[in-house]
Every structure is written in C-alpha cells, then in structure tokens.
Amino acid sequence: MSQVEERAKYAAQQEFPEEDILKPMWDPDHIKRGIEALKAYQLDDFHREFRDFYEALDDPAGYASEPRESVIVESARIYKAFTITPENRIDEVLDVVLSYERPDGSDGTVGQTRELDDSLILCVIPALDIGEGFDYQEEFHKLVLTHLLAQIRDIYLDMGEEPPDEYKVQGVGKLNIHGDGIGET
C-alpha cells in the first residue's frame, strides 16, 4: 500500500507543482536540479568543499569527536548538504554531519543539521570501504553524482516503478525505501 501512496503523492505533485506535496528530497525534479548544479560546480571548489565528506566516509570513527571505540562504524551515516539557487547553481556547501550508534546503544552526532527546504540537496551515505587505489581528485565527484542519480533511482523503486534508464546506476541512493527490506518489520 505504501508504494501506491508514494506514487499518488508524486502524481499529485506533478499535477500541482506549486503545492508542497512531496518533501524536496523525494521529488526527482529537485534532485535533478542538484545534479545540474553539481555538474556545473568548479572541480577545484568541489575538491576543497567536499573533502570533509570524503574523509568522514572513509573514516567515520576518526571524524567523531570521541574515542574510536565509541563509534560503531557500521551504524555511521555521513551527511553532506549544499544549497542551490533558482538558476541551479551551488550557493552554500554545509559542513559534514555524522550520526552513529555507540556500543551502549546511545546515539552520537557530530555537526549541525539544517532544516530541509526547497534549496537544500542532501547526500547521505554510510561509511565506505575506500580502497588505497581510490583517487579523490579523479573519482569522488563522480561518486557524489552517482549517489544523487541513485537517489532518483530509489524514488522510482519506492513508488514500485522501474526507474528510467539514466538512473539505473550502481551505488548508494536512499537508505530506506518501501520494498527494500531496510527498516521494515
């Protein structure tokens, strides 16, 4: 039933674009704007502004502000957000936010979150096993773009639909969608 509900919300948003029916990060058109902005962003600026995201993905326990043994790496979620202008350009790049579970079951967080709005593009990826052969300068921009493409893929899957071919990519997208078995009981 949830997939039908998600599809109905998507159809209603298409029919009434001026209404706030979908949350922005569940609207494929919103994420497409973020992809366009990221593609147009100067690579030197990207490498400087997104370095913290790469480092936190590679070593979330090292990014945390408490001892390494206080971070269950498998539970880590690394957030990087940026805002886009009405012309689909990157405006502000926010600092990384790290959330994780501690061995005692309590939650830990590093960084400040921001309220989701129509200008925010949010990347959320679990810790990655980034091998020594990974070239940050050459590969990380593509990894973040692929993550956004995969989010659109997962929005279609969440509605029970086959994603368009350009979004059939390998990689991490949404972390909890209907039918993926994650977080469902």
Side-chain angles (χ1 to χ4, degrees), residues 1 38 48 50 68 74 84 86 101 111 119 171:
M1 186 64 165
L38 196 58
R48 183 181 64 256
F50 282 75
R68 288 183 162 283
E74 298 78 23
I84 52 175
E101 188 178 314
S119 71

Side-chain angles (χ1 to χ4, degrees), residues 51-67:
R51 184 71 190 198
D52 61 344
F53 191 36
Y54 168 76
E55 290 172 358
L57 287 168
D58 188 38
D59 184 16
Y63 194 81
S65 56
E66 54 187 312

Side-chain angles (χ1 to χ4, degrees), residues 75-93:
S75 72
R77 298 292 181 258
I78 299 89
Y79 300 77
K80 183 70 171 182
F82 58 92
T83 61
I84 52 175
T85 67
E87 298 79 31
N88 300 341
R89 298 286 180 231
I90 291 182
D91 185 28
E92 180 184 7
V93 180

